[in-house]
Amino acid sequence: MIKTTNLTKIYQTDEVETTALNEVNIEIKEGEFVSVMGPSGCGKSTLLNVLGMIDNPTSGEYYFNGEEVGHLPERKRSNVRKHNLGFVFQSFNLIDELTVFENVELPMLYTKVPSAERKTRVEELLEGMNIMHRRNHFPQQLSGGQQQRVAVARAIVNRPKLILADEPTGNLDSANGDEVMKILSELNASGTTILMVTHSQYCAEFGNLIIRMLDGQVVTENVVKQYL
Amino acid sequence: MITNYLKIALRNLIKLKGFTALNILGLSIGIAASILIIQFLRTELKVDKHHVDLANLYRVNTAFTVGGKETQTATSPSPLAWTMVNDFPEVYQSTRLLKPPGVNQFLIKFEEKSFFESKTYFVDSTFFEVMTYDFVESSPAGAIKEPFQVVISSLIANKLFGGQAALGKSIEISSQWGADQYEITGVYESSGLPSHIDGEIYINMRSGAIGRTFYDLDEWAGNNLYLTYLKLHPQADPSGLESKFPDLVEAKAGERMRTLGFSKSHFLEPVKDIYLKSKVSYQVGPQGNQSMVNILGIIALFVLIIACINFMNLATAKATLRTKEVAVRKVVGASRKILSGQFMIETILYSFIALICSFLIAYLVLPWFNHLAGRTIQLDIFHDKSLLLWTVAILFFTAILAGSYPSLYLSSFSPLNILRGSAGKGITAKKIRKILVITQFIISIGLIQGILIIQNQLEFVRSKNLGFNSEEKVVIPLNTPESAIKYQVLKNDLLADPNILFVGGSSTVPGQVNLNDGLYYGEGQDPSNNVHANINWVDPDYLTLMGFNLDEGRFFSQDRIADTVSSTIITEKMVASLGYSLDDVIGKNLYWTWDGITRKRKIIGVVDDFHANSLHKEVGNQIFFWSTTENPGYLVASVETGEINNLIGKMETTWQKHVLSDPFEFYFLDDRLQSAYETDQRMGSLIFAFTLLAIFISCLGLFGLAAFAAETRRREIGIRKVLGASVSGIVSLLSKEYLFLVILAILIATPLAWYFMTKWLSNFHYHIELSVFTFIVAGFVGLLIALITVGFQGLRAAGSHPVEAIKSE
């Protein structure tokens, strides 16, 4: 599903040049659950952003489902993104002015899913996440765990092939963190590919492959468990 | 999707109440001001636009050249109209309108009712075929075909007959020329179709003594008393027609003009341009003012732009509050185009709410606006389709202008930058906000400079020495032979009252159109080298009571009866025009030649030049003759105004004792003279009011921006305070940025205002000189307003508890 060749990202300011990704070569197959670990500033979030097509690499290639997408213009990237990817952020990033229902519904507005189907899908997901009773609440009225469940629901509502999760449990207590990891595992079990950035070894081990990074480079890839 | 946009827009609107209130208030006031100005301008631009075949309607004006100097009038000679139709194939139809010379008012009587009406004209039978009127009784065709037929406005009909039908009724119309009975053959709606001709009563020109004298007056050179209107064939070329005029004038009047010592030419003026653009003398209705219309139009645009700039500034300033939303929408698949659309829809929503509020504001201030504008403007959006169209246009103009930049700006945020926490603090946006603030203040300060100059000029007009004293003068028109003949007894009786100091009589008074004129020359000069002067037939007391300042010689004297036939008093300008010098003019003669006979009068006195007309026009040559044979057109009384109402009551009693036939009418000379500047005053007031609005809206925006700046620098302010910064230090920290912007705006606004106000002042022949001081004052006022606005926010920020600010980080 994902293949990168010498993927490099350099941030340039007036005086300083920072290499966030340095010739990264990775391959993620469909159905994998990959955890990316490493110290702060090692480039894991940059890798997630580039693979999530919200940032362009400076050089190298990025193949998504066999198509080079690393250097697509924003309009085309946006199109690939909305049909194929789902995002879960550490800080949830729910829109405060929209209700739980509307937040989850949002991605489907951009993929032009008919209204009735939107309603069914959102309700199914909210039921599944046990937050149906909160459907008309605003994000600030929810606990952190509930907010992250809404964020996960929003990430999967368009049935993406790949979910990118950036420290999804970073702002949660352990119980809520476990809950979210359980949901992600279930999604993965049902066939969704997941790429997760985390500081937590515990969370990383939910995946089947752990990529460790240092100074913008992949240093090791550990297989945690093999799929049958 | 749109529902989602509207939902989030409304929720943001409620969440950010302060910003919403500022935005909606600014936009509402801006839109309300624009709607009112547009309605006003529509009424100004509507004048004469209703005439059928308007594109083919022209008035024949005349340009006279006397002594090398050209003057232009709306009038032309009597035979011109018919000759045009008969001799020139381009002309389809013609008609004339006449205000008989020396008659300023007609006495209108029906049974017991009587009143004076000045808007009374004698017209040819074709008048209502050339000009379009909205008849409510009878129809234009044949309405005024026969002598002693009259068409009146619905206003006059109501005055005379209440709500009853006027058609077929007989009224008496009288003036110095006598009284006649007229049959009403038509009534038109007076409030319907605005025209540059202010007539309320139109009389068939073949009627009575006036008809006998003027209807077929065969004079081509002189007696240019008629307004001649032509309707050309659609395919006719007006400039081709004009090119035939010189030959016509030469053939018909050339020799006689040379004898009389002047030349003239005719030219066409489109009827559609007369109200706003015509600069010629002797109009028959109040003139509009194209430059004021332009200024007001520009102000309407400026006020709207200022309001839109507010919106842009506040929307981009608060953009930091929307960055997360933009990022999330982009991450889940929204393109920049879709996001721009979303923010545009939000602006349309804002504009729509503002539009509703603006109508409420406009309805509330409409009576005040009408009072200021001197109009009866209505805001009936449900029946006035043009207003509806204008409203929709304003809505979209506002939404596009106000929403385009914020939507492009907001949608340009990179989700990556937002997630990294660096969006919305862009230097570009800050720079653009500064440019927009400068633009607002260029407009506001330019307008302040403009209104100061307009007010100064109007004050100059009010206080300028007119060459006579117009204060405490009561003018009583003597409109009919019955009243004019009683002048002497009225004078004697009035003088018996100790509060009436002087009484004098004159054929004309300043402020009235004076068609009594002649061509004169000095001793040893060629009669063809003559100068034009207006004649004032007066009795000796008139000169004294009006306060004309005697430079040389003496006034007419009751002891020197020869003064009545052999003497004249002239103005200083006339002395120079005749080629005399002030030192030796007394005793010299004034000459004029008419029909081959030369006459002369000895100059016995010279008075200061005086403004018989408004200061828009250059002061003219004036001469005074002592009138004993002609009854005066006006009685002027110099009065003590302590108990003026009582005094007027006594004057009315005296009038009724002697003049049984006519109602008593009077006016105060200074009031009437000021009415010449009514358009300027009204426009000045309107511009003043809308400038204040523009400044207010600018301040709203600045207030919002300063509040935002103070909020974003809250922590910095807290730290500074902990480190010992004073309140004044904090205020100056927050204010100096805006101080610089406003100073820059002053520097840009000043030359622009200087240029445009110089152009405006050129409308007045007598005007103030532009002073740097005015511009400095205006700049200072702008600066002060800005500082107060920003300083208030600075004080608030400086007053907040520093610990709270630091803790909040």
Side-chain angles (χ1 to χ4, degrees):
Chain A
M1 177 179 254
I2 286 174
K3 186 178 179 198
T4 67
T5 314
N6 299 328
L7 200 67
T8 302
K9 179 70 189 180
I10 298 169
Y11 291 111
Q12 187 97 40
T13 57
D14 287 344
E15 288 168 3
V16 187
E17 189 179 282
T18 313
T19 305
L21 292 179
N22 190 0
E23 299 193 336
V24 172
N25 295 295
I26 57 166
E27 194 172 348
I28 299 170
K29 293 188 181 67
E30 204 164 326
E32 283 190 327
F33 187 152
V34 180
S35 304
V36 182
M37 294 191 73
S40 293
C42 70
K44 52 187 190 304
S45 287
T46 305
L47 179 67
L48 195 84
N49 290 336
V50 171
L51 298 182
M53 291 178 235
I54 52 178
D55 200 2
N56 275 333
T58 311
S59 64
E61 281 93 46
Y62 166 28
Y63 294 93
F64 183 79
N65 280 340
E67 187 192 353
E68 210 291 315
V69 294
H71 300 91
L72 288 178
E74 165 56 25
R75 192 173 52 81
K76 285 190 176 169
R77 276 192 287 152
S78 151
N79 201 38
V80 177
R81 212 160 52 218
K82 71 182 167 190
H83 287 108
N84 297 288
L85 308 184
F87 288 84
V88 181
F89 302 97
Q90 178 181 356
S91 51
F92 325 132
N93 281 336
L94 297 174
I95 298 178
D96 297 335
E97 292 75 26
L98 296 180
T99 61
V100 164
F101 184 97
E102 290 159 355
N103 263 293
V104 178
E105 183 193 29
L106 188 67
M108 291 188 287
L109 295 176
Y110 298 115
T111 49
K112 298 194 167 49
V113 176
S115 168
E117 193 183 336
R118 287 204 304 266
K119 188 167 182 281
T120 315
R121 279 208 222 169
V122 174
E123 283 174 357
E124 272 175 16
L125 278 172
L126 293 180
E127 287 282 4
M129 305 269 179
N130 285 328
I131 41 174
M132 186 61 181
H133 60 292
R134 296 286 207 174
R135 57 174 287 166
N136 292 323
H137 287 72
F138 288 94
Q140 57 273 31
Q141 297 171 303
L142 306 181
S143 71
Q146 286 172 325
Q147 286 192 51
Q148 194 60 300
R149 274 184 277 158
V150 175
V152 173
R154 182 182 66 189
I156 61 174
V157 75
N158 259 341
R159 295 163 185 167
K161 295 187 177 79
L162 173 66
I163 288 178
L164 297 144
D166 191 358
E167 302 266 10
T169 59
N171 281 5
L172 302 176
D173 57 33
S174 59
N176 278 311
D178 276 352
E179 182 76 20
V180 168
M181 287 315 300
K182 198 177 141 208
I183 296 168
L184 289 177
S185 296
E186 284 168 7
L187 283 170
N188 178 244
S190 63
T192 309
T193 311
I194 293 174
L195 179 69
M196 177 179 73
V197 166
T198 181
H199 275 111
S200 155
Q201 181 67 33
Y202 170 75
C203 291
E205 285 174 2
F206 278 85
N208 63 301
L209 180 70
I210 298 176
I211 294 175
R212 291 186 194 278
M213 292 185 71
L214 186 69
D215 297 336
Q217 291 181 308
V218 173
V219 286
T220 58
E221 288 187 28
N222 301 109
V223 176
V224 180
K225 53 195 169 200
Q226 282 286 350
Y227 283 94
L228 294 173
Chain B
M1 183 84 91
I2 287 177
T3 324
N4 181 275
Y5 294 165
L6 290 177
K7 233 184 259 177
I8 203 159
L10 275 172
R11 286 171 191 164
N12 266 316
L13 210 126
I14 295 161
K15 186 174 155 189
L16 305 167
K17 289 185 196 77
F19 273 107
T20 305
L22 279 181
N23 259 336
I24 302 259
L25 185 64
L27 274 183
S28 306
I29 295 173
I31 295 174
S34 303
I35 288 172
L36 287 172
I37 293 179
I38 284 170
Q39 281 299 83
F40 174 76
L41 296 183
R42 279 181 62 215
T43 62
E44 290 295 283
L45 296 169
K46 213 160 68 175
V47 176
D48 284 321
K49 299 299 184 289
H50 61 278
H51 294 298
V52 175
D53 291 331
L54 178 66
N56 304 319
L57 288 184
Y58 293 86
R59 186 174 67 191
V60 187
N61 295 338
T62 306
F64 293 95
T65 307
V66 182
K69 201 179 152 203
E70 188 184 276
T71 49
Q72 296 184 341
T73 71
T75 54
S76 49
S78 167
L80 188 71
W82 307 125
T83 308
M84 291 275 175
V85 177
N86 294 331
D87 295 1
F88 299 133
E90 292 92 340
V91 180
Y92 171 70
Q93 210 167 20
S94 69
T95 195
R96 295 172 305 166
L97 179 143
L98 170 75
K99 187 173 179 67
V103 186
N104 281 309
Q105 288 186 311
F106 288 83
L107 180 63
I108 316 296
K109 278 187 186 169
F110 176 72
E111 294 173 351
E112 298 307 309
K113 287 181 187 164
S114 68
F115 55 87
F116 284 107
E117 180 53 63
S118 59
K119 297 169 182 173
T120 306
Y121 300 109
F122 282 70
V123 293
D124 283 323
S125 58
T126 50
F127 183 75
F128 291 107
E129 291 165 25
V130 176
M131 298 296 182
T132 309
Y133 282 77
D134 180 16
F135 273 62
V136 290
E137 288 189 51
S138 179
S139 67
I144 201 166
K145 282 288 177 221
E146 301 300 328
F148 301 103
Q149 288 185 336
V150 64
V151 168
I152 62 173
S153 71
S154 54
L155 187 82
I156 298 291
N158 270 331
K159 223 165 157 181
L160 286 170
F161 314 113
Q164 292 182 341
L167 206 65
K169 291 208 166 73
S170 181
I171 56 172
E172 185 186 295
I173 301 177
S174 56
S175 70
Q176 294 97 312
W177 293 78
D180 291 296
Q181 289 292 322
Y182 291 85
E183 182 201 356
I184 297 169
T185 51
V187 179
Y188 65 89
E189 180 56 54
S190 31
S191 62
L193 307 168
S195 163
H196 72 281
I197 304 169
D198 65 357
E200 298 286 351
I201 297 174
Y202 296 97
I203 302 167
N204 183 298
M205 207 191 284
R206 283 186 289 154
S207 314
I210 289 174
R212 285 192 295 279
T213 309
F214 292 104
Y215 176 69
D216 48 11
L217 188 68
D218 190 22
E219 166 67 55
W220 275 91
N223 283 311
N224 292 272
L225 303 168
Y226 306 78
L227 284 97
T228 304
Y229 293 93
L230 305 180
K231 184 185 274 189
L232 304 190
H233 284 289
Q235 66 278 17
D237 170 24
S239 53
L241 176 64
E242 267 182 327
S243 67
K244 296 176 181 176
F245 291 170
D247 288 346
L248 176 76
V249 172
E250 177 55 31
K252 300 286 188 183
E255 202 178 322
R256 185 155 165 76
M257 287 195 302
R258 279 187 286 281
T259 310
L260 295 171
F262 73 95
S263 66
K264 69 170 181 178
S265 60
H266 295 302
F267 61 98
L268 296 175
E269 182 163 40
V271 166
K272 68 179 169 58
D273 292 343
I274 290 176
Y275 177 67
L276 285 177
K277 293 182 182 165
S278 186
K279 300 274 184 208
V280 303
S281 307
Y282 303 135
Q283 303 281 355
V284 281
Q287 283 293 105
N289 185 328
Q290 182 72 53
S291 74
M292 286 293 197
V293 163
N294 294 345
I295 289 174
L296 267 180
I298 289 169
I299 287 181
L301 191 65
F302 278 174
V303 170
L304 205 53
I305 288 174
I306 286 177
C308 289
I309 287 177
N310 269 2
F311 186 93
M312 288 190 234
N313 275 339
L314 294 176
T316 54
K318 68 172 186 185
T320 42
L321 306 174
R322 304 286 298 268
T323 52
K324 189 169 84 178
E325 181 195 339
V326 171
V328 171
R329 284 183 185 271
K330 278 200 167 180
V331 164
V332 298
S335 65
R336 189 173 176 187
K337 200 171 137 190
I338 288 177
L339 279 173
S340 298
Q342 178 192 339
F343 291 119
M344 276 309 293
I345 287 171
E346 278 192 25
T347 314
I348 291 173
L349 177 72
Y350 262 103
S351 309
F352 187 71
I353 296 170
L355 189 73
I356 293 168
C357 297
S358 73
F359 263 89
L360 292 176
I361 296 171
Y363 276 113
L364 279 176
V365 301
L366 189 61
W368 166 82
F369 180 80
N370 274 334
H371 171 72
L372 215 58
R375 299 284 189 277
T376 48
I377 289 158
Q378 292 178 335
L379 288 173
D380 187 356
I381 199 161
F382 300 107
H383 296 101
D384 185 348
K385 279 182 191 154
S386 298
L387 176 62
L388 186 65
L389 282 177
W390 272 108
T391 305
V392 173
I394 288 175
L395 175 70
F396 281 98
F397 175 84
T398 309
I400 289 167
L401 186 65
S404 52
Y405 171 62
S407 70
L408 287 175
Y409 174 68
L410 282 162
S411 63
S412 72
F413 292 162
S414 148
L416 184 71
N417 289 339
I418 297 165
L419 297 173
R420 276 163 41 187
S422 60
K425 294 173 184 169
I427 298 164
T428 319
K430 212 171 171 187
K431 267 187 189 161
I432 290 176
R433 276 206 291 279
K434 281 183 179 173
I435 292 169
L436 292 175
V437 168
I438 292 172
T439 311
Q440 276 187 320
F441 272 85
I442 290 172
I443 296 172
S444 300
I445 291 166
L447 287 174
I448 297 175
Q449 290 169 337
I451 54 166
L452 281 184
I453 292 162
I454 290 172
Q455 296 300 326
N456 283 349
Q457 172 64 18
L458 294 178
E459 184 51 38
F460 169 78
V461 165
R462 266 193 290 273
S463 59
K464 186 171 185 339
N465 181 5
L466 299 173
F468 59 91
N469 182 4
S470 64
E471 287 172 10
E472 302 183 320
K473 303 287 181 298
V474 176
V475 180
I476 303 172
L478 306 171
N479 292 307
T480 59
E482 290 76 20
S483 57
I485 210 160
K486 295 286 170 59
Y487 167 68
Q488 201 55 50
V489 286
L490 282 169
K491 178 176 177 173
N492 294 341
D493 263 19
L494 289 171
L495 281 171
D497 190 312
N499 288 318
I500 298 177
L501 309 176
F502 298 98
V503 174
S506 174
S507 58
T508 184
V509 286
Q512 294 293 344
V513 175
N514 183 8
L515 292 171
N516 209 336
D517 57 358
L519 300 170
Y520 302 90
Y521 54 95
E523 279 180 18
Q525 287 179 353
D526 189 321
S528 64
N529 188 24
N530 52 25
V531 292
H532 173 269
N534 283 103
I535 308 163
N536 300 261
W537 290 94
V538 298
D539 77 356
D541 292 338
Y542 176 77
L543 293 167
T544 319
L545 80 89
M546 287 292 281
F548 291 110
N549 185 37
L550 193 65
D551 292 323
E552 295 290 334
R554 61 178 178 84
F555 283 145
F556 299 123
S557 167
Q558 301 282 5
D559 302 332
R560 302 185 191 200
I561 201 68
D563 280 355
T564 58
V565 288
S566 61
S567 304
T568 184
I569 293 166
I570 64 175
T571 54
E572 216 176 319
K573 182 171 180 172
M574 186 68 180
V575 173
S577 300
L578 290 170
Y580 293 142
S581 75
L582 208 54
D583 302 334
D584 62 356
V585 68
I586 302 301
K588 291 219 160 82
N589 286 316
L590 172 80
Y591 295 89
W592 70 99
T593 302
W594 190 257
D595 279 346
I597 301 164
T598 299
R599 294 181 172 86
K600 65 174 182 180
R601 282 208 182 199
K602 186 175 283 176
I603 300 165
I604 60 161
V606 176
V607 295
D608 280 351
D609 290 328
F610 68 95
H611 293 273
N613 297 109
S614 82
L615 297 181
H616 290 107
K617 300 217 163 73
E618 189 183 358
V619 74
N621 293 317
Q622 301 281 346
I623 59 175
F624 294 96
F625 293 149
W626 182 352
S627 165
T628 51
T629 52
E630 290 192 25
N631 291 314
Y634 297 90
L635 180 152
V636 185
S638 180
V639 299
E640 293 277 2
T641 50
E643 285 188 42
I644 191 66
N645 289 342
N646 255 340
L647 189 61
I648 295 293
K650 285 182 191 169
M651 290 171 99
E652 185 169 6
T653 311
T654 308
W655 172 272
Q656 282 162 348
K657 195 169 96 188
H658 297 293
V659 188
L660 300 173
S661 55
D662 303 355
F664 174 71
E665 286 221 348
F666 75 97
Y667 63 83
F668 293 102
L669 185 59
D670 47 0
D671 289 351
R672 182 60 62 93
L673 291 175
Q674 278 304 317
S675 69
Y677 312 106
E678 197 181 304
T679 307
D680 300 316
Q681 303 273 14
R682 287 192 186 289
M683 288 289 188
S685 306
L686 280 179
I687 291 169
F688 185 79
F690 285 101
T691 299
L692 288 185
L693 271 187
I695 295 164
F696 177 70
I697 300 172
S698 294
C699 287
L700 277 185
L702 200 59
F703 186 82
L705 273 190
F708 180 78
E711 186 58 38
T712 50
R713 295 175 78 173
R714 205 163 153 241
R715 184 165 174 265
E716 178 196 342
I717 292 165
I719 293 168
R720 281 176 186 270
K721 281 189 78 178
V722 169
L723 295 176
S726 64
V727 170
S728 61
I730 302 287
V731 173
S732 102
L733 173 79
L734 289 170
S735 307
K736 67 181 178 194
E737 185 181 348
Y738 296 99
L739 190 76
F740 169 74
L741 299 184
V742 176
I743 289 172
L744 197 61
I746 293 170
L747 293 176
I748 299 171
T750 301
L752 292 172
W754 191 292
Y755 172 76
F756 286 110
M757 292 323 290
T758 306
K759 277 189 87 171
W760 180 74
L761 284 174
S762 69
N763 282 323
F764 291 84
H765 192 85
Y766 300 93
H767 57 75
I768 54 166
E769 290 304 316
L770 288 182
S771 142
V772 177
F773 182 71
T774 314
F775 290 89
I776 292 173
V777 169
F780 182 74
V781 170
L783 201 60
L784 196 69
I785 292 170
L787 279 182
I788 291 171
T789 312
V790 176
F792 175 77
Q793 290 292 1
L795 272 177
R796 240 174 60 159
S800 64
H801 203 290
V803 176
E804 291 296 319
I806 294 166
K807 254 170 52 183
S808 74
E809 190 59 17

